[in-house]
Amino acid sequence: AFEYGFNSKRLSEILSYWKGQYLPKWSEREAFLNQFPQFTTQIQGLNIHYIHAKPKTVANVKVYKMILLHGWPGSIREFYDIIPLLITPKDGIAFEVIAPSLPGYGFSEGAYKQGLGQLKAAVILRNLMIRIGFDKFYVQGGDWGSLIGSNMATVFPENVLGYHSNMCSVNSPMANIKMFVASFMPSWFIKDEKMRSWIYPFTPHFMNILQETGYMHIQATKPDTIGVALQNNPVGLAAYIIEKFSTWTNVDYR
């Protein structure tokens, strides 16, 4: 099954699809990937790649500026279905969309110095919007994009009109301490007994984190080593990345 990593039988089916259907029709994929205008510009020493999609008509339409922020193991590809909906006017409203590849992803340059975390990435992407000419804009973020977007909204309230996230969390020392204590004594924090089950029991929650975050420790501490292993190995890269989609979308695979 999938309990010890990605299922090899399923992987062979994916590789057969790549070789038999995907690559022979690569010109079609090129056209698909290039359907939106794409650009690069240098922000604080890094070449940043982004999609810039505009509504085709703006007559009698209120157009809002929006930046879409992806995460890992994702890319701007995950926005290809939503961008046409955002730039198509509806009820007199449409969006002009900027979808950047995060630093180190896709065609965006990675940092050459340590310390480019979510806060500094937020500064870079806010400055990207300013460079394009957008002083006021909305932010949507998921996964790492959620953390970066949260920092953008917090640090630059004069620029961010609104922030939407599809990965909301509270991650502070005090919140984690309360979560730990509440796992054993939920009545101390939640008076309504029916609501207490919303606090995860600590042991299963801790074991889930322990079992599912090995990749994060590798990438956070030894990214160059895992990078060498995956850089020229499409089969290994497929197994490494798609395993996250398999495990994170089906708890039975854990």
Side-chain angles (χ1 to χ4, degrees):
F2 290 81
E3 288 92 338
Y4 295 103
F6 198 76
N7 179 275
S8 57
K9 183 177 183 296
R10 180 70 179 117
L11 181 61
S12 67
E13 295 172 357
I14 291 172
L15 298 178
S16 295
Y17 166 75
W18 275 8
K19 291 185 290 185
Q21 300 180 50
Y22 190 86
L23 289 178
K25 298 180 180 179
W26 178 241
S27 60
E28 295 180 9
R29 302 310 301 171
E30 280 186 312
F32 175 82
L33 294 172
N34 289 327
Q35 64 182 282
F36 303 116
Q38 300 177 49
F39 307 88
T40 59
T41 187
Q42 192 171 92
I43 303 293
Q44 293 169 249
L46 295 178
N47 289 320
I48 301 298
H49 164 259
Y50 62 96
I51 287 174
H52 189 170
K54 303 178 182 180
K56 292 182 179 179
T57 177
V58 294
N60 301 316
V61 175
K62 178 66 175 179
V63 178
Y64 297 98
K65 319 299 184 182
M66 175 182 286
I67 184 170
L68 302 179
L69 302 175
H70 66 82
W72 190 91
S75 69
I76 55 173
R77 166 63 184 88
E78 63 195 47
F79 299 135
Y80 273 57
D81 292 334
I82 193 69
I83 288 176
L85 300 178
L86 292 170
I87 65 175
T88 300
K90 183 178 181 182
D91 299 329
I93 294 174
F95 292 91
E96 185 171 346
V97 175
I98 303 296
S101 297
L102 299 185
Y105 290 71
F107 297 110
S108 285
E109 194 174 13
Y112 293 91
K113 297 190 295 184
Q114 292 181 338
L116 181 56
Q118 59 210 40
L119 177 57
K120 291 182 179 178
V123 174
I124 290 173
L125 297 176
R126 177 264 188 181
N127 289 345
L128 171 66
M129 295 297 278
I130 299 298
R131 168 74 55 80
I132 295 171
F134 299 160
D135 293 328
K136 304 284 186 179
F137 51 87
Y138 290 89
V139 179
Q140 148 64 30
D143 195 71
W144 281 115
S146 172
L147 300 174
I148 294 170
S150 177
N151 276 277
M152 291 177 70
T154 302
V155 179
F156 303 111
E158 70 276 15
N159 301 119
V160 177
L161 295 171
Y163 170 56
H164 179 274
S165 174
N166 56 297
M167 193 187 85
C168 300
S169 64
V170 176
N171 187 21
S172 67
M174 184 56 65
N176 290 330
I177 292 172
K178 287 183 177 180
M179 175 68 79
F180 176 83
V181 175
S183 296
F184 297 100
M185 299 298 296
S187 61
W188 289 7
F189 298 89
I190 303 174
K191 300 303 180 183
D192 188 345
E193 187 174 352
K194 296 179 181 179
M195 302 292 288
R196 291 173 188 170
S197 62
W198 285 39
I199 298 295
Y200 290 140
F202 179 73
T203 301
H205 182 59
F206 175 77
M207 290 304 297
N208 179 58
I209 293 176
L210 185 65
Q211 293 170 351
E212 294 300 324
T213 55
Y215 79 96
M216 187 182 298
H217 295 291
I218 292 174
Q219 292 173 193
T221 59
K222 308 296 180 184
D224 291 345
T225 301
I226 192 64
V228 170
L230 299 176
Q231 181 70 24
N232 295 308
N233 182 2
V235 175
L237 187 61
Y240 192 78
I241 289 182
I242 303 175
E243 180 260 309
K244 303 308 172 195
F245 289 99
S246 69
T247 304
W248 293 345
T249 57
N250 191 333
V251 70
D252 293 334
Y253 289 159
R254 297 179 180 176

